[in-house]
Amino acid sequence: MTDLTPLIAFRWSPRSFDPGADLSPTEVDLLLEAARWAPSAANRQPWRFAVGHRDGETWKRIMVNLPERDQRWAGRASMLLLAAHLVSAVDPTEDPAYDLGHAVAQLTVQATALGLHLRQLRDLDRAGIAADLDLPSDIRPAVVVAIGRLGDPLDLPTDLINSEIGFRRRRPVADLLLASAAATPVS
């Protein structure tokens, strides 16, 4: 892992955000710009974002559509970003959710470069968030991204502290290879 870029190697998804830290307009612009330049099929860029700054109206509408267990820590994030994608693809063989994943991944790397952290939440009330944000019918909410500066993990609810400060684990590459690919040596 020594040759892996630190932007990937040191990225992690904390729950402990600094509740007093805000993101600058420049930081928000850089995050969205990184997402904008993600690869997409036929350059359609089918992703859309709703940006909610802490305690703003959009932030509140996103927050109420998260499970209570996640609201306990997500409320400390500087920004809650709804990542969504178009469902009315021109080509039915394209996967706009796949393209959205690229955009969020690039946003993640840019956040790490800026010294920010984020955690993605897939468990959300999609119908509720679509209604509360008055989203067009061709937009499908996919994930909420909590973004901010790292806070003190000991300020989290007690049941979350161990998972926050515990050792980070990943499956070995060999576990990720399909049977046919596993027979081919990796150089």
Side-chain angles (χ1 to χ4, degrees), residues 5-71:
T5 177
L7 294 176
I8 296 172
F10 297 116
R11 182 224 53 87
W12 67 295
S13 301
R15 292 180 185 89
S16 53
F17 292 101
D18 179 348
D22 291 319
L23 301 184
S24 73
T26 300
E27 289 170 322
V28 174
D29 289 346
L30 286 169
L31 294 173
L32 295 173
E33 193 67 17
R36 183 172 82 96
W37 283 99
S40 71
N43 197 27
R44 287 197 175 88
Q45 302 169 35
W47 48 79
R48 300 295 183 267
F49 299 107
V51 177
H53 297 281
R54 187 186 300 114
D55 295 327
E57 192 58 35
T58 300
W59 186 91
K60 290 175 185 176
R61 290 175 186 219
I62 294 171
M63 178 65 81
V64 299
N65 287 286
L66 298 177
E68 285 184 33
R69 71 177 183 279
D70 291 328
Q71 288 181 24

Side-chain angles (χ1 to χ4, degrees), residues 2 6-7 40 42 46 58 68 72 92 99 113 123 126 130 134 140 142 144-145 151 154 175-176:
T2 57
L7 294 176
S40 71
T58 300
E68 285 184 33
R72 298 180 306 155
D99 286 0
D123 188 8
R126 286 174 178 75
D134 196 26
R140 177 165 295 145
V144 168
V145 185
L154 298 179
D175 286 0
L176 305 177

Side-chain angles (χ1 to χ4, degrees), residues 98-172:
Y98 181 81
D99 286 0
L100 173 63
H102 278 296
V104 173
Q106 286 200 185
L107 183 146
T108 299
V109 172
Q110 183 64 48
T112 304
L114 293 171
L116 302 172
H117 292 275
L118 58 84
R119 185 175 188 92
Q120 298 179 43
L121 300 100
R122 288 199 34 100
D123 188 8
L124 56 125
D125 179 352
R126 286 174 178 75
I129 207 164
D132 287 349
L133 293 176
D134 196 26
L135 299 180
S137 61
D138 65 340
I139 298 291
R140 177 165 295 145
V143 64
V144 168
V145 185
I147 306 170
R149 288 184 171 61
L150 201 55
D152 185 349
L154 298 179
D155 288 341
L156 287 169
T158 307
D159 62 316
L160 297 177
I161 293 174
N162 284 340
S163 63
E164 189 75 0
I165 60 176
F167 182 70
R168 233 176 110 202
R169 292 181 178 86
R170 287 295 207 215
R171 294 179 181 270

